[in-house]
Amino acid sequence: MPHEYADHALGRTTVTGAGFALLGTVAGVGVAVCAVIAALQRDGSARSTA
């Protein structure tokens, strides 16, 4: 019984860790995309004003 519980807890921790890793990756990609878009807009506006 305790061994099965430990396996279940380990599996749940792994799933939770994978979920956080996925969220972190999605957040990182979103931030990168926003940064690229902001840089392109800034570059474009600077080029048009210059």
Side-chain angles (χ1 to χ4, degrees):
M1 185 72 168
H3 182 64
E4 290 177 5
Y5 179 74
D7 284 347
H8 181 67
L10 180 64
R12 194 172 53 199
T13 302
T14 303
V15 170
T16 304
F20 277 121
L22 184 64
L23 281 175
T25 302
V26 170
V29 169
V31 169
V33 169
C34 286
V36 168
I37 290 174
L40 287 175
Q41 286 180 339
R42 189 173 56 215
D43 189 36
S45 61
R47 196 172 292 153
S48 62
T49 53

